[in-house]
Amino acid sequence: MSSLEHTMPDNAPAVLTNEQLKQYQQDGFLLLESWVPDDLRQQLIDRAYQLIEQADLTEHNRFSTTDRAQINNDFFLESAETIRCFFEEKAFDEAGELTQPRAQSINKIGHALHDLDDVYKAFARRPEFGALARDLGLQAPHLYQTMVIFKQPRIGGEVTWHQDATFFYTEPTSVITYWFALEDATLQNGCLWVEPGGHTGPLRERYFREDRDLRMEPLDDTPWPDDTSGTPMPVKAGSLLVFHGHLPHYSAPNRSEKSRLALTFHVVDGQITYAPENWLQRPTLGTFSL
Ligand code: FE2
């Protein structure tokens, strides 16, 4: 099955050039610089830290892609329709105490900021984001998930190679990821890595939810890229990297002194059946159309 059966529209694109569309089809991703104005970017950052300050962090719920067994399933599943803060895997010492201030201990905030927080909701409502999804072939772009990913100084965790369609399964694949750099992303602070053209490959894994249980199931044994076949994507603050649901991507740990805040959207075509086995379901919040 080709992952590009999601055909591009016949009419002229609204926010992209034909060159950019061609580039996206060829590489599976596109870098759009200066898509977040500085004042707005600062608002999103400030609001993220306010959300951490306001959060009830008495439970130490961590997030890890290297050891998913660490994740508290209930806390994670409930975050689909609320706003929750997840700690970095390495935020605590052996005595269970935070080794850095709480604002520098959070791995990510997710997953319904666009529904429940006014700053993030206003940002998601900007018309260019819907236009972009339509330019990339989605008939009815639905925003399923927002995350603020901190990649904290010194302890920011690795995100292992994966494809986002693993988590947002539809047939055919429709999920598109928007990855906004809220701060400069560099090789030192854990910028994204991608495999150019890798979106034409198969989906390797699928993440299933069965009631309150979660499991990763292998689908295809195509090897993941490495640092020779992958390409680092250092980008300036305000850039938007948009990529296909089959594009393998990765980010290294952050051992530098600088954070690397990113905001992500996961956008799925509402014209296509969204798998009921996907972990993220929105029975209460319903549809958020871009
Ligand atoms: Fe991802």
Side-chain angles (χ1 to χ4, degrees), residues 198-239:
H199 64 304
T200 55
L203 187 64
R204 293 162 175 81
E205 299 173 311
R206 188 172 166 194
Y207 197 53
F208 277 94
R209 168 191 187 155
E210 240 171 37
D211 194 18
R212 312 296 284 179
D213 288 329
L214 295 162
R215 68 172 199 280
M216 190 68 88
E217 207 163 279
L219 300 178
D220 188 282
D221 60 6
T222 300
W224 290 109
D226 55 28
D227 56 7
T228 57
S229 49
T231 302
M233 293 295 298
V235 296
K236 283 203 170 55
S239 302

Side-chain angles (χ1 to χ4, degrees), residues 114 120-129 265 287-290:
H114 59 294
Y120 282 87
K121 188 194 276 185
F123 181 70
R125 285 269 171 240
R126 288 170 71 87
E128 62 266 34
F129 299 141
F265 288 177
T287 299
F288 188 105
S289 297
L290 285 184

